Amino acid sequence: MVPPLLSRPRETELVVVGASAGAVDALGELLPALPADARVPFVVVVHVPPSKPSLLVDLFSSKCALAVRQPFDKQPIEPGVWIAAPDYHLLVERDRTFAVSIDEPVNYSRPSIDVLFESAAVVYGRALAAVVLTGASRDGAAGARKVRAEGGLVLVQDPSEAEVDVMPRAAIEESTPELVAPLAQLAQALRDISRGRP
Amino acid sequence: MSGDARSSAFEIELRLLLEAIFLRFHYDFRSYSMASLRRRVTAALSALGCETVSALQEKILHQPETFTALLQYLTVQVSDMFRDPAFFLAFRQHVVPELATYPSPRVWIAGASSGEEVYTVAIILAEEGLLDRALLYATDINPDAIAKAKAGVYAEERIPTFAANHRAAGGKQPFERYYTSAYGHAAFDRKLRDRVVFADHSLATDSVFAEVQAVTCRNVLIYFDRTLQERAVGLFRDALSRRGFLGLGAMESLQLTKQSSAFEPFLPELKWYRRS
């Protein structure tokens, strides 16, 4: 039984997801659970080493019902799963296109979860949902706070279940999320959100 | 005050700041990517001790010397030498042999910033025996960045990355021969910049200044909006000789520009295009 997420009606138009250490397994549970008819784009930042080409797109393409792509600069944000490229920050513009930058790493990371969350919060406001998963840094916590400040939803993986609990704990401390739950329950919540419910 | 109202106040102030910068200092950031500007200006606010963007605007208008400090936040990006080795390996193997057919090939490094890419191109041309008869134009809008590029001095701790990238990009000489170390810094060989013209040039407001056979402009267009991207790519189109080469950053593409018909893919997966 999934608890009701919302005290007020809203339509979520974008979901942003951040994950670090333990990301592959956690995303392997969440992303394949998304239905092929999801109307909401899912944008994912995973901390990956800058020098290696990211294999995540290939890895998840074969497992997901949705198209899994790496966004390039100025591309419109359409439904599907988007995974940030290594060594660039991924941001969202007012006209709902992607932007990228090579500005300094944030929280020692590029891409940084905070950078994505903060830029998306400004543009989508209440229509944004942010998900913080397993990880060993505090990246995502400031971003989750900004998402809440702009009226968006924050969902965090239950730290007791996370492979590394630092990142979910930091997000909980900073942002008082609407939902802290194990992956199975987050997956259900994202399925609901992706179909325009709640 | 709701989040939305606060955001739009910031955006209004940001637009006014960019207008003030244009009117007072003739730097045109009005067509830059707002998502990146927002982060950069937010960083500048705390560094320059301003509570709001309006306060920052007042400061730069009444204490113009502050603008130099702000400019560093608005423009500077640090790149590594031979960043994306595969791109420079392709330059060495596929572009340089074509450049070698010209008596005096010219290469424009647009948005050269603090010069890492200038030395990258110069080293490759030197190793391929082309530097002595080549001419490089290294342009940027930030005079401090150009001064750094001219000086060619970088923190020694960055050398291992540069050297590893150089090897991966097909480097033919030991990397140590290109610099001398002292006091934690590496000063690059002056001979590498004998054939470089450093100049103040804006892709937003200036026009074409020379005919060139290759342009590299990497991770610069990502900071522009689509209108300004069109303008910049238009300048490259006009500056390039027929069959000249254009190299972009890994996340950049001609796909969304109107000029795409002026170029054909050369090694598109490595972001090399060719003037048709």
Side-chain angles (χ1 to χ4, degrees), chain B:
Chain B
M1 194 194 282
S2 83
D4 283 350
R6 219 173 31 239
S7 306
S8 56
F10 187 98
E11 233 144 85
I12 291 164
E13 289 178 293
L14 186 50
R15 290 192 180 282
L16 294 172
L17 174 72
L18 302 180
E19 202 62 44
I21 290 171
F22 180 66
L23 293 172
R24 180 70 179 77
F25 302 99
H26 309 293
Y27 280 91
D28 194 354
F29 292 104
R30 296 173 301 174
S31 294
Y32 272 49
S33 148
M34 289 303 276
S36 283
L37 273 181
R38 170 183 281 280
R39 282 202 73 83
R40 289 176 161 207
V41 170
T42 302
L45 284 184
S46 50
L48 301 176
C50 297
E51 286 275 323
T52 63
V53 181
S54 302
L56 178 60
Q57 179 183 319
E58 185 181 346
K59 195 163 189 166
I60 60 155
L61 288 177
H62 297 285
Q63 302 166 44
E65 65 281 2
T66 330
F67 177 67
T68 311
L70 176 59
L71 189 59
Q72 309 314 311
Y73 285 90
L74 295 182
T75 63
V76 164
Q77 49 253 345
V78 174
S79 182
D80 285 326
M81 286 192 194
F82 299 90
R83 181 184 155 104
D84 303 331
F87 174 90
F88 288 107
L89 183 61
F91 175 70
R92 181 193 295 273
Q93 293 179 333
H94 303 290
V95 177
V96 169
E98 302 271 352
L99 294 181
T101 66
Y102 290 86
S104 177
R106 291 180 295 271
V107 180
W108 175 14
I109 296 129
S113 193
S114 40
E116 287 85 345
E117 192 156 307
V118 180
Y119 292 92
T120 301
V121 170
I123 287 170
I124 293 174
L125 293 178
E127 290 182 347
E128 301 302 321
L130 207 56
L131 186 60
D132 290 344
R133 60 186 172 97
L135 190 58
L136 277 61
Y137 298 103
T139 63
D140 202 89
I141 59 168
N142 183 336
D144 287 20
I146 294 174
K148 277 186 192 144
K150 267 187 199 163
V153 176
Y154 303 96
E156 202 173 4
E157 66 194 27
R158 301 179 63 197
I159 292 291
T161 306
F162 293 179
N165 287 350
H166 171 247
R167 263 195 310 282
K172 290 185 172 169
Q173 300 285 342
F175 196 66
E176 306 86 79
R177 65 184 289 166
Y178 298 118
Y179 63 89
T180 45
S181 299
Y183 308 108
H185 288 89
F188 278 74
D189 190 346
R190 302 198 70 87
K191 284 195 201 104
L192 290 171
R193 55 184 179 282
D194 277 353
R195 305 294 302 157
V196 184
V197 177
F198 293 92
D200 181 345
H201 180 273
S202 164
L203 296 169
T205 52
D206 292 327
S207 46
V208 170
F209 55 85
E211 183 176 337
V212 299
Q213 285 72 50
V215 173
T216 68
C217 181
R218 303 176 68 236
N219 300 316
V220 175
L221 299 182
I222 51 177
Y223 291 100
F224 295 173
D225 74 9
R226 287 189 58 186
T227 321
L228 186 50
Q229 287 187 348
E230 293 289 349
R231 186 186 197 278
V233 176
L235 292 184
F236 304 150
R237 177 199 61 207
D238 295 343
L240 279 168
S241 317
R242 219 177 78 79
R243 314 295 293 150
F245 296 89
L246 171 63
L248 300 176
M251 298 298 287
E252 293 160 338
S253 156
L254 292 179
Q255 241 172 291
L256 295 174
T257 71
K258 294 188 195 97
Q259 334 276 359
S260 55
S261 62
F263 293 90
E264 56 194 54
F266 180 61
L267 297 164
E269 66 287 357
L270 294 169
K271 305 299 175 184
W272 278 108
Y273 298 87
R274 196 161 194 187
R275 183 79 171 86
S276 27

Side-chain angles (χ1 to χ4, degrees), chain A residues 5-43:
Chain A
L5 272 180
L6 303 163
S7 50
R8 53 205 160 126
R10 82 176 67 206
E11 182 102 22
T12 295
E13 292 164 24
L14 183 73
V15 178
V16 288
V17 182
S20 188
V24 172
D25 289 345
L27 291 170
E29 200 160 328
L30 275 194
L31 300 180
L34 301 173
D37 61 352
R39 295 201 297 260
V40 178
F42 292 80
V43 183

